[in-house]
Structures are given as structure tokens and as C-alpha cells.
Amino acid sequence: AEGDHLTLLAVYKAWEASKFSNPWCFENFVQARSMRRAQDVRKQLVTIMDRYKLDILSAGKNYKKICMAITAGFFTNAAKKHPQEGYLTLVDQNPVYIHPSSAVFNKNPEWVIYHELVLTTKEYMRNIMVIDAKWLIELAPSFYKRADPNKMTKAKRMEKIEPLFDRFNPKDAWRLSRRKG
């Protein structure tokens, strides 16, 4: 499991281990104000959970659980690697790219969840997490379904490449496995 969300969680846990120290933030080039804001948001969430008498359970080091929880919340912000360059959002097929500040920049994972899109020269995904495509079907079954491999769209059928007919050679002579030498 990798991504910006887990990196931010690791930074928060390290700050927590330092007893929420301002010098720790300075030494690690982290803005103390941003860390305090994250701490305030966490306190708000704990208060809301207390109000509704919900149990506060930690996933601990089970990062898969954390990733699946984030995927369950951001399933509409999924993107798949495009064969040529960048990614395509699953919802509206927009071309998007991984922001250079991301922990997964230049790693080119197949499937990602992003928190927000930022438009500069290109449309960039920020706060990205690598996911397993199966999670989308499992966590959002009313939104995603497994594609039927027998049913190809017209566009996919048009992309399918088959060799040209060669009347001078046997039918499968073009296949590399059929060639001798």
C-alpha cells in the first residue's frame, strides 16, 4: 500500500510520537499550523463519533483497511492508467496526470484514487493513493460492475488488430509460434 494519504498518516503519527512538538515540525520541514489543523479535524471526528455513540477502532498497521476505507469514500474519484500517457478518470474519461509533488509520481500505478483535481498546464490529481481495481466493485457495487469480456464495445472492436489475409501462405503462418527458425 502506497500513496499520499498513507504518507500523511505516517507524518501525523510521527508528530504524535513526538508529543505534538513544534521543534519536530521545524526539524522535519513540516508546517506546525497544518499539523494542528489535522489534529483539530481529528478531534472533531472523535467528538462526532462520541455524539452518535460509535466505537472508535484503529486499523493500526493494517494499511489495506485504511486504503479500502478511503476508496469507499472516494470511489467516484478513480482513475486508470492510459496506455499512451497519464490517466483517464473512470467517471467521465477525462485525461489527468499525477501531480509532481505526489509520493507516487513516476511510479505509474495501474489504478489510483485521488482527492482533488488541480488545473494548471494539465489537469493534475492531488492526494493520490494506489488501489486494487477489485475494491471498486466490492465497495461501490451500485456504481461499478465487472465488464463482460464477451461484450466488446464498437470502439474496442475497431481497435482489435488482426493480421491481413495472405492467400499464399497457410492460415496461421503469420504467428511467431508457427515460424521455424
Side-chain angles (χ1 to χ4, degrees):
E2 60 183 319
D4 299 329
H5 295 89
L6 298 176
T7 302
L8 293 169
L9 177 62
V11 170
Y12 184 86
K13 289 291 188 187
W15 183 56
E16 186 179 50
S18 76
K19 298 181 178 71
F20 307 109
S21 157
N22 278 345
W24 181 92
C25 292
F26 182 78
E27 290 165 13
N28 290 284
F29 306 98
V30 176
Q31 290 184 356
R33 187 173 165 204
S34 297
M35 297 306 291
R36 282 192 299 278
R37 183 166 165 11
Q39 186 180 37
D40 290 343
V41 169
R42 186 184 185 287
K43 285 178 184 174
Q44 288 173 22
L45 290 171
V46 168
T47 303
I48 290 168
M49 292 186 71
D50 284 344
R51 185 181 312 138
Y52 291 102
K53 295 172 180 46
L54 298 170
D55 293 333
I56 298 171
L57 302 171
S58 173
K61 298 261 184 209
N62 188 349
Y63 295 122
K64 183 180 176 188
K65 261 187 187 175
I66 297 167
C67 291
M68 289 181 79
I70 294 169
T71 302
F74 287 97
F75 64 87
T76 57
N77 293 0
K80 185 184 186 317
K81 178 117 183 69
H82 190 271
Q84 273 78 45
E85 65 169 335
Y87 289 78
L88 286 178
T89 59
L90 294 185
V91 173
D92 41 5
Q93 300 296 303
N94 285 340
V96 292
Y97 300 87
I98 294 177
H99 196 275
S101 66
S102 174
V104 293
F105 185 68
N106 283 337
K107 292 191 178 168
N108 299 322
E110 192 66 25
W111 294 86
V112 295
I113 289 281
Y114 59 90
H115 183 83
E116 64 181 338
L117 293 174
V118 177
L119 183 62
T120 57
T121 54
K122 297 177 182 175
E123 198 159 20
Y124 288 104
M125 300 178 284
R126 292 212 14 208
N127 294 330
I128 302 161
M129 185 179 65
V130 179
I131 63 163
D132 185 345
K134 294 178 204 150
W135 297 350
L136 295 171
I137 299 161
E138 182 184 329
L139 299 169
S142 60
F143 200 82
Y144 294 107
K145 67 178 182 181
R146 189 175 306 279
D148 185 359
N150 300 324
K151 293 182 181 174
M152 291 175 85
T153 64
K154 187 175 180 181
K156 286 284 184 191
R157 277 196 301 271
M158 296 299 285
E159 287 177 9
K160 191 175 176 185
I161 299 171
E162 290 188 3
L164 295 172
F165 179 70
D166 181 0
R167 64 188 174 114
F168 300 107
N169 288 306
K171 185 179 136 219
D172 285 333
W174 62 272
R175 295 186 188 275
L176 293 176
S177 59
R178 299 276 187 217
R179 291 191 180 169
K180 291 178 178 124

